[in-house]
Amino acid sequence: MMMAYGLFVFGLSTASYRELQRRTSWRHAPQSRIGRRPARQFLGPADDTITLTGTLLPHFTGGQQNLDYLREMASQGAAWPLIEGNGSYYGLFIIESMNESKSHHMRDGSAQKIEFDLTLQRIDEDSGDAISRLGNVTARALTGVLA
């Protein structure tokens, strides 16, 4: 297991990523001053974004169904815990966007190579409430994907 996002496990048999990029920013509000540079007041954390980039080779690794499952999770609009395989907890994240690119097509149109970028955005508001809804959203997501 490389990482778990809710109940989705990133790994060789599902969707392994080759690169993880994390961008964290903080807010410093400017206060204008006459004849001087603006003063800055620290307001706290801002965005925390993680982008996972990977390649699926459906004949050897996970395929399209794994990206479809992630899309279904994103469509639920819920925040999910993000935990690295070594146990590091990143927080609660939503899926902000996902891009995929298919190439090396077979005669039936199926792709032999699927590249993806998944952008996750951290949210902290009502994190306890989001975790309590985890079971309900998971059941709905699994029902939609497995149907």
Side-chain angles (χ1 to χ4, degrees), residues 10-121:
F10 288 91
L12 292 178
S13 63
T14 56
S16 63
Y17 55 90
R18 72 175 172 274
E19 183 175 58
L20 182 151
Q21 293 180 355
R22 186 175 188 184
R23 179 172 165 45
T24 306
S25 56
W26 294 265
R27 297 175 297 143
H28 295 268
Q31 178 63 43
S32 296
R33 299 186 296 179
I34 297 174
R36 299 178 69 194
R37 290 189 181 99
R40 299 276 178 174
Q41 180 180 3
F42 178 66
L43 299 178
D47 289 336
D48 192 0
T49 304
I50 292 179
T51 302
L52 302 174
T53 304
T55 301
L56 303 179
L57 302 170
H59 290 25
F60 304 105
T61 64
Q64 182 65 47
Q65 70 276 11
N66 294 299
L67 297 181
D68 292 343
Y69 182 77
L70 287 166
R71 273 196 178 84
E72 182 61 32
M73 290 175 70
S75 295
Q76 300 296 324
W80 301 87
L82 186 65
I83 305 168
E84 204 165 26
N86 64 12
S88 297
Y89 176 69
Y90 285 92
L92 291 174
F93 283 77
I94 58 166
I95 296 177
E96 187 173 79
S97 66
M98 180 168 43
N99 299 315
E100 75 180 61
S101 175
K102 297 180 180 184
S103 62
H104 300 85
H105 293 83
M106 302 198 45
R107 288 183 186 188
D108 65 356
S110 61
Q112 294 182 47
K113 183 177 179 182
I114 305 170
E115 296 181 293
F116 69 92
D117 295 324
L118 182 68
T119 302
L120 305 167
Q121 184 68 47

